[in-house]
Amino acid sequence: TFLSEDISLYERRMPAGVCGCCGPLRPRYKRLVDNIFPEDPKDGLVKSDMEKLTFYAVSAPEKLDRIGAYLAERLSRDVIRHRYGYVVIAMEALDQLLMACHSQSIKPFVESFLQMVAKLLESREPDLQVLGTHSFVKFANIEEDTPSYHRRYDFFVSQFSAMCHSTHEDPDTCTRIRMAGIKGLQGVVRKTVNDELQAIIWEPQHMDKLIPSMLFNMQEAEDWDRSGLPTTPSGGEREESPAILAESCFRELLGRAAYGNMNNAVRPVLVHLDNHHLWEPNEFAVSCFKIIMYSIQAQHSHHVIQQVLGHLDTHNKDTPRVRAGIVQVLLETVAIAAKGSIGPTVLEVFNTLLKHLRMSVDFELGDRRNSASSGSTSYRESEERIVQNAIIQTIGFFGGNLPDYQRAEVMMFIMGKVPVYGAPCHTLDTAQIGDLGTKRVQIMLLRSLIMVTSGYKSKTISAALPAPFLDPLFSLSLTEDSELRQLVLEILHNLIDRHDNRAKLRGIRIIPDVSALKIKREKISRQDIGFMKKHGQQLYRHIYLGCKEEDNLHKNFELLFTALALITIELANEEVVIDLIRLAIALQEMALANEENLSMFIRCGTMALVAAYLNFISQMIANPPFCQHVSKVIETRNQEAPYLLPEHIFREKCVLPMSLERDNRSWFFQTNEIAESLAGPSYSVDRLSVPYIPQVTDEDHLSRRKSVVDTISIQVDLMSNNQPDKSQKAEEITFEALKKAIDTTGMEEQEKEKRRQVIEKFQKAPFEEIAAQCESRANLLHDKLTQIFELTIRYCHGDMKPLHTEIHNLAFSETCKVNNISSTS
């Protein structure tokens, strides 16, 4: 007998009569296996003998493990001897046996099969690696009847991942190996993710190999789908590109990820982007996360958002462009997640974003100080603006897609972060960042609020503007910065405009036909009427005072006009209409009297604002006599004083007058004529004769801060004047001063006129306005007393030197004067 390992080959070449007794001594399964191998491997698998072997394996499944072991033995021998033709035949036979046998006895055979695949993958021959991969993919597509308790795929994950990173010198061979590696990983995923016993595949040590291998090949693509939407290329295109195949496998893996596996699937993506410095530029990072968001289940979106937020915290001290890249990825993630489920941690997301916004402002100010001290120009300051804009856009996308109840919470949350002078702010140390830093933070947070409030429509205005939100917002509306006031007005527009009329009112102008704008409006609800009774005076006061600011620009007047128009559309009943007309007449009177020495541009701009608004409200209430009076004044101005109209005053080169005189009555709107035009049962025109005077209040904390500063400055001046070594400056005595001191008739007449106005106001003004003024005076008196008590305590503790009693007169003079007039009336 022949005891050589190649006995089957010898038997084939041996004459029929020579030692014919040796063949039947071999087991039948070995003879069947040997017969499938031809003498020349180029002839391929002997099909007739393969059919016999398959029939035998199906008829005697208990022999499958022996057949597999013997095939594995032959394949190992052929691999070592580099007889690759027989290796191909052996793998083909194994594939056919796998496809034909699905019994319980296939388990041992699979172990032999996997050993042979591993043997091929370990070889350095690309052809054998590709052959082994194809066999594994066929095996992965077989659905087994029973789960495997002991089978592991760690080796295959590592080997296929290594093939995905192939750097073979031949480009075509490199592509073949990479595509084989990707297909192998895809086979591992399909074989394991649906098997509960193979949940180990989601552990970090495996995900750290699977995910980067796919991303590496996706990154190599020159033309990937930047939109992130699923594509369906043809089979030929899919086979030609490792990038498309890797993306398909990546989507399939993420689509199979369960709730508890999302973190392990997303973390390797972030690590890969860090290691390859792909946040700047971040096109590939954005593309990856679009694929992630479109592939995972919608209810898992908030896991991805939390992962990106945590990664942003990790990189909080990186360069601005890296942080901006992460924030922009977060923006795209949020924009997609908002269409589905965002999750319960909404305020946590906003808190993280606002924290990084504050940090960016700190970095910007620090770089500015360093640049100023060194005399050089830093580019990081402008790059920090990129980070800030990206954060604001992300906040806007996130907040803009939340339901109304969550958006209201976010609005209150952000407003609580805005630093307001005199109000407690637990998240911002204004002394540490200074006035410039405080302003930057205010601007950034208000811009975030604009994004969140855009498109927000509440059923009642009280739900959109609750008192805890309205008071700090109004405090910011009186700051000495035109940009901040513009942002506050835009926020008010977003919240008041519930019928999308703001775009139709864009730009301050004389509208010839308001009805052509097709403004949408509804009947004023009872809740909105109650809101105007409670907070209407606040609105009027801040609009009035906002017109007096010296740094007002064209945009400020535009926004003020839009605010008045929106209040008229959304919140005005007959009583509010009268109040708004009184406010407009008061603005005209303020510009004419010019008691605060306003610039001519501010005065003419206020006049133009009044003209544009009265033209609008007269047409809105559809009162022909009122419209006729307004049109007449506008026509006269157009001919004689065009600088009092918005179309002229806000031009770049508008010639301003030297003065504004009351003598030209035809230029101005007359209260008596407006009252006559509105006479009737609908409007209480008696109130028009009561001039509007903004209530003196300390509702805005900024003005309270200014009053404290003014009081302290008076104390400092008096202390300096009481020093014995300081020369007293004599008051300049003139003839006019002596004449005023002697002649008191004029003063008496002024006092009588003031008392008459107070009495008339108490008789005709609305109760809400009188109550608001009385309350504000009481609050002002309380504040003055508190200041003086604090000074007294400081003096008792030896912190201050004795002050002259004139301080008390200065502190009480204005308050006592107002109270005396009120008591006399």
Side-chain angles (χ1 to χ4, degrees):
T1 61
F2 292 95
L3 301 178
S4 170
E5 294 178 336
D6 293 334
I7 186 171
S8 61
L9 182 61
Y10 296 155
E11 285 177 356
R12 263 191 211 96
R13 297 177 178 177
M14 189 180 300
V18 179
C19 200
C21 61
C22 298
L25 295 179
R26 295 176 59 78
R28 185 181 180 188
Y29 72 90
K30 287 189 177 182
R31 293 200 309 265
L32 292 173
V33 170
D34 291 337
N35 291 338
I36 67 175
F37 291 93
E39 294 184 7
D40 187 359
K42 295 181 181 180
D43 295 338
L45 182 68
V46 180
K47 294 184 179 180
S48 58
D49 291 329
M50 186 65 216
E51 291 176 357
K52 295 178 182 178
L53 178 62
T54 304
F55 179 77
Y56 178 77
V58 173
S59 303
E62 67 276 4
K63 299 292 185 178
L64 268 175
D65 56 337
R66 298 183 182 182
I67 294 173
Y70 185 59
L71 274 172
E73 179 184 347
R74 285 193 60 113
L75 184 137
S76 300
R77 191 165 59 240
D78 292 335
V79 169
I80 295 173
R81 297 178 180 179
H82 302 287
R83 296 191 295 192
Y84 300 137
Y86 290 118
V87 172
V88 174
I89 294 174
M91 293 307 301
E92 185 178 354
L94 284 169
D95 294 340
Q96 292 189 24
L97 288 173
L98 274 175
M99 300 300 295
C101 304
H102 297 285
S103 64
Q104 178 71 26
S105 302
I106 201 175
K107 300 300 178 184
F109 176 75
V110 169
E111 298 303 324
S112 301
F113 169 79
L114 293 178
Q115 290 177 9
M116 287 182 275
V117 172
K119 194 72 174 179
L120 296 181
L121 295 177
E122 287 177 342
S123 68
R124 297 183 180 181
E125 289 295 329
D127 293 336
L128 294 185
Q129 292 179 348
V130 173
L131 177 64
T133 303
H134 288 168
S135 295
F136 183 84
V137 171
K138 292 178 182 179
F139 162 72
N141 292 328
I142 297 175
E143 295 184 4
E144 301 182 45
D145 297 333
T146 57
S148 175
Y149 291 90
H150 59 282
R151 190 183 306 155
R152 296 180 65 88
Y153 298 94
D154 300 5
F155 168 80
F156 296 99
V157 172
S158 301
Q159 194 64 33
F160 288 138
S161 299
M163 292 171 63
C164 290
H165 292 81
S166 173
T167 56
H168 197 280
E169 56 186 9
D170 181 26
D172 294 336
T173 304
C174 179
T175 301
R176 287 178 57 223
I177 296 175
R178 288 189 181 185
M179 290 188 66
I182 297 170
K183 290 179 181 179
L185 290 178
Q186 195 172 27
V188 173
V189 171
R190 290 176 179 176
K191 197 65 178 175
T192 57
V193 291
N194 292 328
D195 190 351
E196 295 181 357
L197 298 174
Q198 295 294 337
I200 193 173
I201 195 66
W202 294 104
E203 292 185 356
Q205 64 265 28
H206 298 306
M207 287 291 106
D208 290 344
K209 299 174 183 176
L210 279 166
I211 301 295
S213 300
M214 301 175 192
L215 295 180
F216 176 76
N217 285 276
M218 292 166 59
Q219 179 186 345
E220 292 292 318
E222 297 179 357
D223 299 318
W224 60 73
D225 180 15
R226 298 200 178 198
S227 66
L229 295 172
T231 57
T232 55
S234 63
E237 292 176 352
R238 185 178 297 273
E239 293 296 331
E240 291 174 0
S241 173
I244 295 178
L245 190 61
E247 180 181 332
S248 175
C249 183
F250 188 50
R251 290 181 187 276
E252 183 177 351
L253 176 65
L254 293 170
R256 297 171 183 266
Y259 180 84
N261 302 325
M262 283 306 305
N263 291 343
N264 290 340
V266 175
R267 185 187 56 81
V269 178
L270 298 170
V271 174
H272 179 83
L273 296 174
D274 287 342
N275 294 338
H276 293 265
H277 308 288
L278 296 175
W279 297 113
E280 178 197 357
N282 67 339
E283 286 82 0
F284 180 74
V286 170
S287 176
C288 286
F289 274 90
K290 281 185 176 181
I291 293 173
I292 292 173
M293 297 305 294
Y294 282 119
S295 301
I296 64 175
Q297 301 178 37
Q299 62 268 27
H300 300 159
S301 298
H302 65 280
H303 275 295
V304 182
I305 295 174
Q306 289 177 337
Q307 286 280 88
V308 180
L309 284 172
H311 202 66
L312 182 61
D313 288 336
T314 305
H315 292 265
N316 57 5
K317 294 184 179 179
D318 275 15
T319 62
R321 292 197 175 274
V322 170
R323 286 182 284 121
I326 299 175
V327 173
Q328 288 169 359
V329 167
L330 182 63
L331 169 62
E332 297 293 341
T333 305
V334 165
I336 299 172
K339 301 174 185 177
S341 172
I342 294 181
T345 57
V346 175
L347 293 183
E348 178 185 351
V349 173
F350 280 95
N351 189 37
T352 303
L353 290 173
L354 293 176
K355 178 181 69 176
H356 284 279
L357 185 63
R358 161 67 195 280
M359 292 171 60
S360 178
V361 172
D362 289 345
F363 290 146
E364 179 186 356
L365 295 175
D367 292 334
R368 183 177 299 180
R369 286 191 293 266
N370 295 335
S371 300
S373 61
S374 62
S376 62
T377 304
S378 175
Y379 291 100
R380 176 160 175 161
E381 180 180 340
S382 59
E383 292 179 349
E384 290 294 345
R385 297 291 178 95
I386 299 175
V387 179
Q388 295 161 14
N389 292 333
I391 293 175
I392 291 172
Q393 288 182 357
T394 305
I395 290 175
F397 270 96
F398 203 169
N401 288 281
L402 291 174
D404 288 343
Y405 73 94
Q406 280 189 326
R407 202 189 299 196
E409 293 179 1
V410 171
M411 288 160 47
M412 292 297 301
F413 182 76
I414 297 177
M415 180 55 73
K417 303 287 185 178
V418 179
V420 178
Y421 294 111
C425 185
H426 304 289
T427 61
L428 184 68
D429 185 6
T430 55
Q432 183 178 0
I433 64 176
D435 292 340
L436 182 60
T438 302
K439 176 187 171 183
R440 285 293 301 164
V441 173
Q442 288 173 332
I443 290 175
M444 292 295 105
L445 294 178
L446 289 180
R447 287 177 60 190
S448 303
L449 268 178
I450 290 175
M451 297 289 289
V452 174
T453 56
S454 178
Y456 176 68
K457 294 178 178 61
S458 63
K459 294 183 178 179
T460 61
I461 197 65
S462 58
L465 290 171
F469 182 86
L470 194 62
D471 291 342
L473 188 67
F474 278 153
S475 297
L476 291 168
S477 72
L478 296 182
T479 55
E480 297 178 354
D481 186 270
S482 62
E483 185 179 1
L484 282 175
R485 297 196 303 274
Q486 292 171 11
L487 296 175
V488 171
L489 288 172
E490 290 183 23
I491 293 171
L492 283 176
H493 295 173
N494 288 343
L495 296 174
I496 295 175
D497 182 22
R498 292 171 288 179
H499 296 88
D500 299 323
N501 293 312
R502 182 173 49 172
K504 304 171 185 177
L505 302 169
R506 194 178 305 278
I508 179 172
R509 64 194 188 281
I510 303 297
I511 303 174
D513 185 9
V514 175
S515 61
L517 300 179
K518 297 181 180 180
I519 291 176
K520 300 177 184 178
R521 63 183 308 189
E522 296 178 0
K523 185 178 179 181
I524 310 301
S525 65
R526 184 179 301 176
Q527 292 86 348
D528 291 346
I529 293 174
F531 174 84
M532 289 305 292
K533 287 184 176 180
K534 185 175 182 180
H535 299 287
Q537 295 300 320
Q538 281 182 295
L539 281 170
Y540 307 148
R541 174 176 183 266
H542 286 275
I543 291 175
Y544 180 89
L545 297 179
C547 292
K548 297 167 61 176
E549 297 292 342
E550 278 290 342
D551 61 341
N552 276 342
L553 305 173
H554 178 198
K555 186 176 181 181
N556 291 87
F557 286 106
E558 282 187 352
L559 295 173
L560 288 166
F561 168 74
T562 305
L564 287 168
L566 290 175
I567 293 172
T568 305
I569 296 170
E570 299 284 350
L571 303 172
N573 58 358
E574 290 80 2
E575 183 178 351
V576 174
V577 166
I578 295 297
D579 288 337
L580 290 170
I581 295 175
R582 290 176 60 216
L583 173 62
I585 298 300
L587 289 172
Q588 176 181 266
E589 181 63 26
M590 178 264 291
L592 281 174
N594 195 26
E595 296 178 354
E596 300 187 19
N597 295 321
L598 300 175
S599 66
M600 187 55 66
F601 172 76
I602 299 299
R603 296 172 66 188
C604 292
T606 304
M607 287 288 191
L609 171 65
V610 172
Y613 177 65
L614 288 180
N615 171 71
F616 176 81
I617 195 174
S618 64
Q619 297 185 55
M620 284 296 297
I621 64 176
N623 187 288
F626 190 13
C627 293
Q628 185 177 0
H629 171 64
V630 173
S631 300
K632 184 179 179 181
V633 173
I634 291 174
E635 184 178 354
T636 305
R637 287 187 180 184
N638 198 21
Q639 295 175 358
E640 302 177 8
Y643 45 80
L644 299 181
L645 296 175
E647 288 81 1
H648 295 271
I649 184 61
F650 298 120
R651 290 179 179 175
E652 292 185 2
K653 297 181 180 179
C654 179
V655 180
L656 299 176
M658 298 299 296
S659 62
L660 293 177
E661 303 295 339
R662 296 178 181 270
D663 299 338
N664 300 316
R665 289 177 54 84
S666 60
W667 292 4
F668 310 114
F669 303 98
Q670 303 301 321
T671 306
N672 54 353
E673 295 190 25
I674 296 176
E676 291 177 3
S677 64
L678 295 177
S682 299
Y683 301 98
S684 55
V685 295
D686 293 341
R687 292 170 50 214
L688 284 176
S689 59
V690 181
Y692 171 78
I693 300 175
Q695 60 189 40
V696 181
T697 178
D698 58 349
E699 66 173 354
D700 60 291
H701 305 292
L702 179 60
S703 59
R704 291 180 63 182
R705 177 177 176 267
K706 286 185 175 180
S707 65
V708 174
V709 173
D710 293 342
T711 306
I712 296 175
S713 64
I714 292 172
Q715 299 165 6
V716 172
D717 291 341
L718 289 173
M719 290 175 64
S720 62
N721 289 336
N722 287 333
Q723 296 297 330
D725 56 340
K726 299 292 183 181
S727 59
Q728 302 293 331
K729 183 177 180 180
E731 182 181 357
E732 184 179 0
I733 300 176
T734 61
F735 175 75
E736 292 295 332
L738 292 174
K739 183 177 179 181
K740 289 180 181 180
I742 297 173
D743 188 8
T744 59
T745 57
M747 297 293 294
E748 294 176 357
E749 292 179 358
Q750 291 180 5
E751 290 292 334
K752 290 181 180 179
E753 180 63 22
K754 286 184 178 180
R755 292 182 181 183
R756 186 191 67 77
Q757 291 179 358
V758 170
I759 293 172
E760 185 177 4
K761 182 173 183 178
F762 273 79
Q763 290 175 347
K764 298 181 180 180
F767 173 76
E768 292 81 6
E769 184 176 340
I770 298 172
Q773 289 195 1
C774 293
E775 182 181 0
S776 64
R777 289 169 183 167
N779 292 337
L780 184 61
L781 177 61
H782 179 269
D783 286 348
K784 293 292 183 181
L785 288 172
T786 302
Q787 294 171 19
I788 293 175
F789 289 153
E790 289 177 355
L791 295 175
T792 305
I793 294 173
R794 291 167 61 188
Y795 170 69
C796 293
H797 286 81
D799 294 337
M800 295 180 63
K801 296 182 180 180
L803 301 177
H804 197 270
T805 56
E806 189 176 355
I807 296 179
H808 303 281
N809 296 332
L810 289 171
F812 279 105
S813 58
E814 185 63 27
T815 305
C816 293
K817 183 192 296 184
V818 174
N819 290 333
N820 288 336
I821 294 175
S822 301
S823 60
T824 306
S825 61

